[in-house]
Amino acid sequence: MASASHRRSLRKRRALVVSAAVVAAGVGAGALVLSANASGTDLYHQTLAAKDGWASSGSGTTGGAKADSAHTFTVSTRAQLVKALGSASDTAARIIKVKGTIDANTDDSGKKLTCADYAAGTGYSLTSYLKAFDPSTYGRSKLPSGTQESARAAAQKKQAANVVFKVPANTTIVGVPGTKAGITGGMLQIQKVDNVIVRNLTFSDTEDCFPQWDPTDGDSGNWNSEYDSVTLRGATHVWADHNTFSDAGHFDSANPKYYGREYQVHDGELDITKSSDLVTVEQNRFTSHDKTMLIGSSDSEPGGKLRVTLHHNVWKGIVQRAPLTRVGQVHLYNNVYDVTPLNGYSLQYSINSRAKAQVVAQNNYWTVPASIKVSKLLSGDGTGSVAGSGNLVNGTTTDLVAAYNAANSKKIKTTVNWSPTLTAGLESSAKNLPAELAKTAGAGVLTAS
């Protein structure tokens, strides 16, 4: 088992005070005056603290902390957010304060856009698409091609122009406390850039109007959608802290079925792919979602990258990919998993280690109902590893790998080729995590002080 060093009590690193005056003023249940695992003068200028996961490695993660007044923005609409982000190639430090909830499916004037608006002029219709690629006539051996597939791609491109927000290097995006800050229907794309911070935002219902049918995906085919709420593609030094991710607004139970398969309009909540590296994801809440977090998009991604730390996050009502890991060195500590079915989402597995991934899972807590076997908490392809200790299931120390291996032919390995050292805040026991993280994880917790 891999051992961790540089352990310090989370409570020593983070001052947590409930202010009676704040609560009395009506800020709401769970409102906390919180100084998070960060350095800096205020919420908007805070930087990732030393030794706080992989994103603290090397030059660390400072985002837009050095932004001048000309590159400090407060935004409340999609058009304002686009303007504040500017060019994805502009490396000037910037701070973007999101005030309220931004609906990505709006035009520059703020008018609501629908799937029909994106399809207009492309020639696409779902009825025509379903007729063109019905497996009984089109077959199951090749991807869709032809007039309707081209029309679907064109409509999807129109939607992407509205809902995909390209984040430049040296950027901090923070939700303004007390404003229900967030983005609905949109995707932050952090691609081939360095040094980005995303904090205190609620991401909801990132929905693709135009999923593609892939008859070759699995035994029965699948509908695959395009957008993640936050996606990292070849990005480095990224810190995601105190955000909430959810399908709220459109749960998968509302999806119809075509060709006998769910018409899936959601992709990931926070995906880390294309050799992204040096990422810390902490104090987030992931809930009511299927394919939640992908680390590594291909089994053939090169080694040496995809180094990710996930700690003090809550995963509740998640079907799978919490996370799915490939190739990299991934440290999971002090996370809470509640795999009780929620809003129609039922567990397939929590953690998947495949493609020689090297996962260390320490002092995490699972709440598991009697209807779910412990052997279902992990998954793998027989090449990945999960090391670590101190993991609790319903309060009892449990060897998750042993439980999985006893029930499966493709065994998960129990040794890794690295030892975590960037472990700030690692708590030696998971026992109190459910109560603790119920108060401290997710958006709406941080204050501006």
PDB file of all heavy atoms in Angstrom, residues 185-206:
ATOM      1  N   GLY A 185     -26.651  24.795 -18.621  1.00  0.00           N
ATOM      2  CA  GLY A 185     -26.648  24.477 -20.045  1.00  0.00           C
ATOM      3  C   GLY A 185     -25.346  24.749 -20.761  1.00  0.00           C
ATOM      4  O   GLY A 185     -25.287  24.615 -21.985  1.00  0.00           O
ATOM      5  N   GLY A 186     -24.286  25.108 -20.047  1.00  0.00           N
ATOM      6  CA  GLY A 186     -23.045  25.497 -20.701  1.00  0.00           C
ATOM      7  C   GLY A 186     -21.864  24.631 -20.322  1.00  0.00           C
ATOM      8  O   GLY A 186     -21.926  23.825 -19.392  1.00  0.00           O
ATOM      9  N   MET A 187     -20.756  24.819 -21.045  1.00  0.00           N
ATOM     10  CA  MET A 187     -19.527  24.078 -20.797  1.00  0.00           C
ATOM     11  C   MET A 187     -18.343  25.025 -20.742  1.00  0.00           C
ATOM     12  O   MET A 187     -18.110  25.801 -21.674  1.00  0.00           O
ATOM     13  CB  MET A 187     -19.287  23.034 -21.900  1.00  0.00           C
ATOM     14  CG  MET A 187     -17.972  22.271 -21.746  1.00  0.00           C
ATOM     15  SD  MET A 187     -17.793  20.876 -22.905  1.00  0.00           S
ATOM     16  CE  MET A 187     -17.144  21.724 -24.349  1.00  0.00           C
ATOM     17  N   LEU A 188     -17.574  24.962 -19.657  1.00  0.00           N
ATOM     18  CA  LEU A 188     -16.282  25.632 -19.608  1.00  0.00           C
ATOM     19  C   LEU A 188     -15.245  24.713 -20.235  1.00  0.00           C
ATOM     20  O   LEU A 188     -15.030  23.592 -19.771  1.00  0.00           O
ATOM     21  CB  LEU A 188     -15.883  25.948 -18.169  1.00  0.00           C
ATOM     22  CG  LEU A 188     -16.700  26.989 -17.406  1.00  0.00           C
ATOM     23  CD1 LEU A 188     -16.075  27.242 -16.040  1.00  0.00           C
ATOM     24  CD2 LEU A 188     -16.809  28.295 -18.185  1.00  0.00           C
ATOM     25  N   GLN A 189     -14.619  25.173 -21.300  1.00  0.00           N
ATOM     26  CA  GLN A 189     -13.612  24.369 -22.002  1.00  0.00           C
ATOM     27  C   GLN A 189     -12.228  24.922 -21.694  1.00  0.00           C
ATOM     28  O   GLN A 189     -11.870  26.023 -22.106  1.00  0.00           O
ATOM     29  CB  GLN A 189     -13.871  24.393 -23.510  1.00  0.00           C
ATOM     30  CG  GLN A 189     -12.853  23.616 -24.331  1.00  0.00           C
ATOM     31  CD  GLN A 189     -13.193  23.603 -25.794  1.00  0.00           C
ATOM     32  OE1 GLN A 189     -14.198  23.022 -26.204  1.00  0.00           O
ATOM     33  NE2 GLN A 189     -12.374  24.246 -26.607  1.00  0.00           N
ATOM     34  N   ILE A 190     -11.453  24.140 -20.941  1.00  0.00           N
ATOM     35  CA  ILE A 190     -10.105  24.536 -20.544  1.00  0.00           C
ATOM     36  C   ILE A 190      -9.152  23.670 -21.353  1.00  0.00           C
ATOM     37  O   ILE A 190      -8.851  22.532 -20.986  1.00  0.00           O
ATOM     38  CB  ILE A 190      -9.913  24.353 -19.027  1.00  0.00           C
ATOM     39  CG1 ILE A 190     -11.021  25.099 -18.267  1.00  0.00           C
ATOM     40  CG2 ILE A 190      -8.548  24.844 -18.578  1.00  0.00           C
ATOM     41  CD1 ILE A 190     -11.064  24.785 -16.774  1.00  0.00           C
ATOM     42  N   GLN A 191      -8.713  24.199 -22.478  1.00  0.00           N
ATOM     43  CA  GLN A 191      -8.017  23.376 -23.468  1.00  0.00           C
ATOM     44  C   GLN A 191      -6.645  23.944 -23.808  1.00  0.00           C
ATOM     45  O   GLN A 191      -6.511  25.089 -24.244  1.00  0.00           O
ATOM     46  CB  GLN A 191      -8.855  23.264 -24.753  1.00  0.00           C
ATOM     47  CG  GLN A 191      -8.212  22.419 -25.840  1.00  0.00           C
ATOM     48  CD  GLN A 191      -9.167  22.109 -26.969  1.00  0.00           C
ATOM     49  OE1 GLN A 191     -10.350  21.889 -26.749  1.00  0.00           O
ATOM     50  NE2 GLN A 191      -8.664  22.084 -28.185  1.00  0.00           N
ATOM     51  N   LYS A 192      -5.620  23.131 -23.576  1.00  0.00           N
ATOM     52  CA  LYS A 192      -4.235  23.462 -23.918  1.00  0.00           C
ATOM     53  C   LYS A 192      -3.815  24.796 -23.322  1.00  0.00           C
ATOM     54  O   LYS A 192      -3.123  25.598 -23.963  1.00  0.00           O
ATOM     55  CB  LYS A 192      -4.043  23.454 -25.435  1.00  0.00           C
ATOM     56  CG  LYS A 192      -4.230  22.083 -26.059  1.00  0.00           C
ATOM     57  CD  LYS A 192      -3.988  22.098 -27.551  1.00  0.00           C
ATOM     58  CE  LYS A 192      -4.169  20.706 -28.150  1.00  0.00           C
ATOM     59  NZ  LYS A 192      -3.953  20.690 -29.623  1.00  0.00           N
ATOM     60  N   VAL A 193      -4.247  25.053 -22.083  1.00  0.00           N
ATOM     61  CA  VAL A 193      -3.846  26.258 -21.368  1.00  0.00           C
ATOM     62  C   VAL A 193      -3.387  25.866 -19.972  1.00  0.00           C
ATOM     63  O   VAL A 193      -3.672  24.774 -19.480  1.00  0.00           O
ATOM     64  CB  VAL A 193      -4.980  27.312 -21.292  1.00  0.00           C
ATOM     65  CG1 VAL A 193      -5.352  27.799 -22.680  1.00  0.00           C
ATOM     66  CG2 VAL A 193      -6.194  26.739 -20.566  1.00  0.00           C
ATOM     67  N   ASP A 194      -2.684  26.771 -19.313  1.00  0.00           N
ATOM     68  CA  ASP A 194      -2.118  26.522 -17.994  1.00  0.00           C
ATOM     69  C   ASP A 194      -2.666  27.534 -16.989  1.00  0.00           C
ATOM     70  O   ASP A 194      -2.924  28.687 -17.333  1.00  0.00           O
ATOM     71  CB  ASP A 194      -0.588  26.659 -18.083  1.00  0.00           C
ATOM     72  CG  ASP A 194       0.097  26.397 -16.748  1.00  0.00           C
ATOM     73  OD1 ASP A 194       0.091  25.245 -16.296  1.00  0.00           O
ATOM     74  OD2 ASP A 194       0.650  27.366 -16.160  1.00  0.00           O
ATOM     75  N   ASN A 195      -2.846  27.065 -15.758  1.00  0.00           N
ATOM     76  CA  ASN A 195      -3.087  27.959 -14.627  1.00  0.00           C
ATOM     77  C   ASN A 195      -4.498  28.548 -14.623  1.00  0.00           C
ATOM     78  O   ASN A 195      -4.706  29.738 -14.879  1.00  0.00           O
ATOM     79  CB  ASN A 195      -2.040  29.089 -14.625  1.00  0.00           C
ATOM     80  CG  ASN A 195      -2.007  29.841 -13.308  1.00  0.00           C
ATOM     81  OD1 ASN A 195      -2.321  29.288 -12.250  1.00  0.00           O
ATOM     82  ND2 ASN A 195      -1.619  31.094 -13.363  1.00  0.00           N
ATOM     83  N   VAL A 196      -5.478  27.706 -14.279  1.00  0.00           N
ATOM     84  CA  VAL A 196      -6.887  28.116 -14.258  1.00  0.00           C
ATOM     85  C   VAL A 196      -7.522  27.685 -12.936  1.00  0.00           C
ATOM     86  O   VAL A 196      -7.287  26.578 -12.445  1.00  0.00           O
ATOM     87  CB  VAL A 196      -7.666  27.494 -15.435  1.00  0.00           C
ATOM     88  CG1 VAL A 196      -9.159  27.789 -15.322  1.00  0.00           C
ATOM     89  CG2 VAL A 196      -7.118  28.023 -16.763  1.00  0.00           C
ATOM     90  N   ILE A 197      -8.343  28.572 -12.366  1.00  0.00           N
ATOM     91  CA  ILE A 197      -9.071  28.305 -11.127  1.00  0.00           C
ATOM     92  C   ILE A 197     -10.568  28.468 -11.390  1.00  0.00           C
ATOM     93  O   ILE A 197     -10.990  29.474 -11.979  1.00  0.00           O
ATOM     94  CB  ILE A 197      -8.627  29.251  -9.998  1.00  0.00           C
ATOM     95  CG1 ILE A 197      -7.159  28.998  -9.632  1.00  0.00           C
ATOM     96  CG2 ILE A 197      -9.518  29.093  -8.766  1.00  0.00           C
ATOM     97  CD1 ILE A 197      -6.587  30.012  -8.644  1.00  0.00           C
ATOM     98  N   VAL A 198     -11.373  27.485 -10.937  1.00  0.00           N
ATOM     99  CA  VAL A 198     -12.834  27.542 -11.066  1.00  0.00           C
ATOM    100  C   VAL A 198     -13.415  27.257  -9.696  1.00  0.00           C
ATOM    101  O   VAL A 198     -13.223  26.174  -9.143  1.00  0.00           O
ATOM    102  CB  VAL A 198     -13.345  26.511 -12.091  1.00  0.00           C
ATOM    103  CG1 VAL A 198     -14.864  26.598 -12.204  1.00  0.00           C
ATOM    104  CG2 VAL A 198     -12.687  26.717 -13.447  1.00  0.00           C
ATOM    105  N   ARG A 199     -14.180  28.234  -9.141  1.00  0.00           N
ATOM    106  CA  ARG A 199     -14.636  28.104  -7.758  1.00  0.00           C
ATOM    107  C   ARG A 199     -16.071  28.618  -7.569  1.00  0.00           C
ATOM    108  O   ARG A 199     -16.516  29.544  -8.243  1.00  0.00           O
ATOM    109  CB  ARG A 199     -13.736  28.912  -6.806  1.00  0.00           C
ATOM    110  CG  ARG A 199     -12.257  28.642  -6.934  1.00  0.00           C
ATOM    111  CD  ARG A 199     -11.449  29.409  -5.912  1.00  0.00           C
ATOM    112  NE  ARG A 199     -11.597  28.844  -4.559  1.00  0.00           N
ATOM    113  CZ  ARG A 199     -11.245  29.490  -3.454  1.00  0.00           C
ATOM    114  NH1 ARG A 199     -10.781  30.723  -3.505  1.00  0.00           N
ATOM    115  NH2 ARG A 199     -11.379  28.891  -2.286  1.00  0.00           N
ATOM    116  N   ASN A 200     -16.753  28.006  -6.622  1.00  0.00           N
ATOM    117  CA  ASN A 200     -18.021  28.515  -6.089  1.00  0.00           C
ATOM    118  C   ASN A 200     -19.102  28.698  -7.149  1.00  0.00           C
ATOM    119  O   ASN A 200     -19.874  29.651  -7.101  1.00  0.00           O
ATOM    120  CB  ASN A 200     -17.783  29.846  -5.352  1.00  0.00           C
ATOM    121  CG  ASN A 200     -18.876  30.146  -4.338  1.00  0.00           C
ATOM    122  OD1 ASN A 200     -19.355  29.258  -3.640  1.00  0.00           O
ATOM    123  ND2 ASN A 200     -19.271  31.402  -4.256  1.00  0.00           N
ATOM    124  N   LEU A 201     -19.191  27.756  -8.084  1.00  0.00           N
ATOM    125  CA  LEU A 201     -20.184  27.823  -9.149  1.00  0.00           C
ATOM    126  C   LEU A 201     -21.042  26.561  -9.154  1.00  0.00           C
ATOM    127  O   LEU A 201     -20.557  25.466  -8.873  1.00  0.00           O
ATOM    128  CB  LEU A 201     -19.509  27.964 -10.513  1.00  0.00           C
ATOM    129  CG  LEU A 201     -18.773  29.279 -10.776  1.00  0.00           C
ATOM    130  CD1 LEU A 201     -17.923  29.161 -12.036  1.00  0.00           C
ATOM    131  CD2 LEU A 201     -19.769  30.433 -10.911  1.00  0.00           C
ATOM    132  N   THR A 202     -22.311  26.724  -9.496  1.00  0.00           N
ATOM    133  CA  THR A 202     -23.200  25.587  -9.701  1.00  0.00           C
ATOM    134  C   THR A 202     -23.371  25.372 -11.194  1.00  0.00           C
ATOM    135  O   THR A 202     -23.798  26.281 -11.923  1.00  0.00           O
ATOM    136  CB  THR A 202     -24.566  25.826  -9.043  1.00  0.00           C
ATOM    137  OG1 THR A 202     -24.400  25.872  -7.624  1.00  0.00           O
ATOM    138  CG2 THR A 202     -25.537  24.711  -9.387  1.00  0.00           C
ATOM    139  N   PHE A 203     -23.040  24.172 -11.649  1.00  0.00           N
ATOM    140  CA  PHE A 203     -23.205  23.797 -13.053  1.00  0.00           C
ATOM    141  C   PHE A 203     -24.369  22.819 -13.145  1.00  0.00           C
ATOM    142  O   PHE A 203     -24.377  21.786 -12.474  1.00  0.00           O
ATOM    143  CB  PHE A 203     -21.935  23.134 -13.585  1.00  0.00           C
ATOM    144  CG  PHE A 203     -20.732  24.034 -13.609  1.00  0.00           C
ATOM    145  CD1 PHE A 203     -19.872  24.086 -12.516  1.00  0.00           C
ATOM    146  CD2 PHE A 203     -20.459  24.840 -14.700  1.00  0.00           C
ATOM    147  CE1 PHE A 203     -18.758  24.917 -12.519  1.00  0.00           C
ATOM    148  CE2 PHE A 203     -19.351  25.679 -14.718  1.00  0.00           C
ATOM    149  CZ  PHE A 203     -18.501  25.718 -13.621  1.00  0.00           C
ATOM    150  N   SER A 204     -25.349  23.140 -13.974  1.00  0.00           N
ATOM    151  CA  SER A 204     -26.539  22.298 -14.055  1.00  0.00           C
ATOM    152  C   SER A 204     -26.962  22.064 -15.498  1.00  0.00           C
ATOM    153  O   SER A 204     -26.786  22.937 -16.361  1.00  0.00           O
ATOM    154  CB  SER A 204     -27.700  22.931 -13.271  1.00  0.00           C
ATOM    155  OG  SER A 204     -28.020  24.210 -13.793  1.00  0.00           O
ATOM    156  N   ASP A 205     -27.496  20.872 -15.740  1.00  0.00           N
ATOM    157  CA  ASP A 205     -28.162  20.499 -16.985  1.00  0.00           C
ATOM    158  C   ASP A 205     -27.405  20.947 -18.235  1.00  0.00           C
ATOM    159  O   ASP A 205     -27.931  21.686 -19.064  1.00  0.00           O
ATOM    160  CB  ASP A 205     -29.585  21.050 -17.010  1.00  0.00           C
ATOM    161  CG  ASP A 205     -30.401  20.434 -18.154  1.00  0.00           C
ATOM    162  OD1 ASP A 205     -30.023  19.353 -18.640  1.00  0.00           O
ATOM    163  OD2 ASP A 205     -31.411  21.046 -18.551  1.00  0.00           O
ATOM    164  N   THR A 206     -26.153  20.495 -18.352  1.00  0.00           N
ATOM    165  CA  THR A 206     -25.402  20.732 -19.583  1.00  0.00           C
ATOM    166  C   THR A 206     -25.900  19.737 -20.621  1.00  0.00           C
ATOM    167  O   THR A 206     -25.512  18.572 -20.633  1.00  0.00           O
ATOM    168  CB  THR A 206     -23.888  20.559 -19.333  1.00  0.00           C
ATOM    169  OG1 THR A 206     -23.500  21.448 -18.288  1.00  0.00           O
ATOM    170  CG2 THR A 206     -23.096  20.874 -20.574  1.00  0.00           C
TER     171      THR A 206
END
